[in-house]
Amino acid sequence: MSSIPAPPNPRSSIAEERVNPSFPVRELTYWIDGGRRVTELKERIMLELERDPLWRVNDHPNLSLAETRERAMSKIRRLADLATSRPLEETMTRMSIISVVDPGFWTRFGVHFGLFFGALQGQATPSQMAYWMDKGALSMQGITGCFGMTELGHGSNVAGLETTATLDERTDEFVVHSPTLTATKWWIGGAAHTATHCAVYAQLIVKDQCYGTKTFVVQLRDTKTFALMPGVNVGDLGKKMGRDQIDNGWIRFTHVRIPRSHMLMKHTKVTRSGDVIEPPLAQLAYGALIQGRVSMVSDSANVAKRALTIATRYASVRRQFGGSASAGASETKLIDYPIHQYRLLPLMAQTFAMIFTAREVTANYEKLMGELSDLGDATGAAADDVIKNLKETHATSAGLKAFCTWMCLNIIDQCRQSLGGHGYSAYTGLAQAYSDFAVHCTWEGDNTILTLQCGRYLVATALDARKGLPLPENLSYLRGAVSATGGLSGHACKGDSAEQVSSLDTLKSAWSSVAANAILNAVRDFEAGLGKGLSKDDAYEFSSASRLHAARMHTYTYLLHRFAAQVDQSPAALRPVLTLLAQLFGAHSAVQHSGEFLQSGFYTGSQIETLKGFVSFACSEIRKDAVSLTDAFNYTDYVVNSPLGRFDGDVYEKYFELVTSLNPAKPVPYFDSLIRPLLERTDETETGPELEIDEE
């Protein structure tokens, strides 16, 4: 009788995956990061965090709510000192890594530096900025801030916020007030325990006239005693789905008085005599809203990289079925099953699409902010061009924020499920990642609302193009996809071979056609609403489903075009694997939406079948480099923070060690009170006497 052979060593299993990559791994890391210097900076920061006892993360699953918050707070001072003493690039790089390592802490820290301080940067005048800087707003020396926009009754509809700020001309003060229960500020990060001041969004009321939502700095607590200021009530929102490191709270204001100068007046100004001076370009205030959306595209890419690193490395050492014990054969690696390749590798392609799109949209945003800063109060042609770019970036970032965060959340959960039962463990990293990331789909704008904003822009732009106005850059693909009469150009795939159907140029044209078709359908629905006698706003609501769909098709097209552009610019040694990944992204996404391509007439049914075959082929080819691609993400084991995603493949030993070290054997605390009584109960005392049954 033959014995069951010992399973292959996991270390050996993953080592063989790295034997002969088709591309230089280190060069791809440099390309992803933006250069060798950035990669080396990231590696230094990752090592610093790993060696700092404050940044221990592998025991997070066992911490209570109070312990989680306290540990997060213990890191604040050190990071605040680094943020104000080190170059800005280093601070931003450090925060991008921390957003993956400890997303809850990243939120708690970011509430002050990103939201509160960001509100000052975006909306304070130079003299106001100098005042708050002198108060310690940057260094957190004297001030810790929070961001008071969301209310119990209002979120995405900022214009509908109920909190009021009424000018008292007699005292030269604003009176900030929560007139209703639903006006209570809600989900305010940092409010429960930490913040001394809040950037409060409230309706500006001067001489009984409402001028819309503006921003006011309101002190919540005495900076010495930490006692609440008169008229301020604060509470704790407690346990959440994820990110418990941040102390979200609620705030109610009861006729709280603040100096008039505490309204941030970079755009709208209120004078001592009560005159309200509106900016000539009200749209300039949109710039501050874009930053959060752009950062979440990058965050989606970064978090997806971690999830895929865990799932891909585990799939390369986990063996299941396929082998014959009697013949002494090993079981088959999960990654060698075509279905597992199909399960993970299109997600890899999506992640690369997000990586390269994030790079480009971030650069565009930074360029736009520079243009806005240089513009000042100028008007005319130059201002018109900047406003046009602002609207384009606002809409594009809205669509990207929505679909990239949805994409990343799906990647996390698909990777978690691919781990089998181990994916359900809090110690393998992806269960908590899902809970922590889910909030991205609703904060900084609910995703569905953002897609409708993007869709509205697409409809309006298509209508402008019909009038002969030039297309913005992000919709330049419409030039070839829409005919002179306003319908689809009728372009179709000309060949039937896999090479013709799946080439990157063909896929770009295919997606352009589908996006154009979706936008034209949304335009038709909008015009149908107008034809029914609806107002313009109601006609947009009438076409909301088609607007959402147009935003989806446009965003996928944008992702593919940005991915392809980065492929064209990449080093020659990287181009083959990046081209194949871009093709897989475009082809797999097309197969998932095959009905759209048939409807637009670009592909036939048989060409769609050929495209499906190409997806399987591309997965089998990328499978050869799967581990090397995750290595190029260059996350250390500390950042990956999962025994199943270890670089050396030693998953079982390290998983067992982690679980047993964090859960040592000890007596069951409720044995005497609950288990013993259960085991030792008698039928008579617990269930009563048995019923006697009459026998006939």
Side-chain angles (χ1 to χ4, degrees), residues 34-63:
R36 177 175 179 173
R37 183 183 58 81
V38 180
T39 296
E40 292 176 349
L41 173 61
K42 285 185 173 182
E43 289 173 337
R44 175 171 68 80
I45 292 171
M46 287 189 288
L47 184 62
E48 289 174 358
L49 292 172
E50 181 177 357
R51 291 182 175 180
D52 188 340
L54 269 180
W55 285 94
R56 182 185 179 188
V57 291
N58 66 353
D59 64 340
H60 275 186
N62 283 23
L63 299 181

Side-chain angles (χ1 to χ4, degrees), residues 90 180 208 368 461 560 578 622 632 646 666 677:
E90 179 179 325
T180 64
D208 297 324
L368 173 64
T461 303
L560 179 62
L578 291 180
I622 292 170
R646 289 182 56 85
K666 52 188 175 183

Side-chain angles (χ1 to χ4, degrees), residues 7 24 50 161 219 225 281 303 372 376 496 627 679 681:
E50 181 177 357
L161 295 178
Q219 186 169 352
T225 67
L281 300 172
V303 173
L372 286 173
D496 293 319
V627 169
L679 296 175
R681 74 189 189 282

Side-chain angles (χ1 to χ4, degrees), residues 69 108 146 187-195 220-221 226 228 234-238 246-251:
R69 288 180 172 180
R108 188 163 188 170
C146 61
W187 285 122
I188 310 305
H193 294 169
T194 315
L220 303 180
R221 294 177 169 96
F226 222 58
L228 291 173
V234 170
D236 193 335
L237 292 185
I246 178 69
D247 52 322
N248 293 87
W250 56 264
I251 309 171

Side-chain angles (χ1 to χ4, degrees), residues 256-408:
V256 176
R257 290 181 170 270
I258 62 172
R260 176 176 55 85
S261 60
H262 285 199
M263 172 182 163
L264 301 183
M265 299 192 194
K266 181 176 183 178
H267 303 298
T268 300
K269 297 175 173 59
V270 178
T271 68
R272 175 67 180 86
S273 59
D275 294 325
V276 179
I277 304 170
E278 296 278 23
L281 300 172
Q283 301 97 323
L284 295 180
Y286 292 163
L289 298 176
I290 298 174
Q291 182 179 10
R293 299 171 184 178
V294 170
S295 70
M296 278 189 276
V297 180
S298 297
D299 204 36
S300 297
N302 291 335
V303 173
K305 288 191 293 186
R306 175 176 177 257
L308 277 162
T309 298
I310 296 169
T312 304
R313 288 178 177 172
Y314 181 68
S316 299
V317 301
R318 176 71 170 188
R319 294 175 182 267
Q320 201 87 296
F321 307 114
S324 171
S326 61
S330 299
E331 292 181 284
T332 302
K333 290 181 179 181
L334 292 183
I335 197 68
D336 283 330
Y337 285 104
I339 192 62
H340 210 78
Q341 296 166 17
Y342 191 86
R343 192 176 193 179
L344 291 181
L345 299 183
L347 307 182
M348 182 84 73
Q350 290 175 13
T351 299
F352 273 91
M354 289 191 288
I355 290 169
F356 294 131
T357 299
R359 171 189 296 177
E360 190 160 326
V361 76
T362 299
N364 291 343
Y365 167 75
E366 291 172 351
K367 178 183 176 184
L368 173 64
M369 290 299 102
E371 292 173 349
L372 286 173
S373 178
D374 294 341
L375 183 64
D377 294 328
T379 57
D384 291 342
D385 287 342
V386 173
I387 294 300
K388 177 182 174 183
N389 291 337
L390 177 61
K391 289 181 178 180
E392 176 184 343
T393 305
H394 186 266
T396 298
S397 64
L400 286 171
K401 183 270 182 184
F403 290 105
C404 287
T405 56
W406 272 330
M407 193 178 287
C408 180

Side-chain angles (χ1 to χ4, degrees), residues 5 19 50 58 73 77 90 122 166 239 245 264 299 343 358 397 405 425 439 473 489 517 525 527 692:
V19 170
E50 181 177 357
N58 66 353
M73 195 63 210
R77 177 172 179 175
E90 179 179 325
T166 304
K239 186 78 175 170
Q245 292 89 337
L264 301 183
D299 204 36
R343 192 176 193 179
S397 64
T405 56
S425 170
V439 69
E473 184 59 32
S489 63
N517 187 52
D525 285 352
E527 292 181 327
E692 295 183 2

Side-chain angles (χ1 to χ4, degrees), residues 33-39 41-42 44-45 83 86-97:
D33 289 344
R36 177 175 179 173
R37 183 183 58 81
V38 180
T39 296
L41 173 61
K42 285 185 173 182
R44 175 171 68 80
I45 292 171
R86 304 299 301 163
L88 179 61
E89 181 192 22
E90 179 179 325
T91 297
M92 298 305 292
T93 302
R94 188 182 304 274
M95 291 307 296
S96 72
I97 294 169

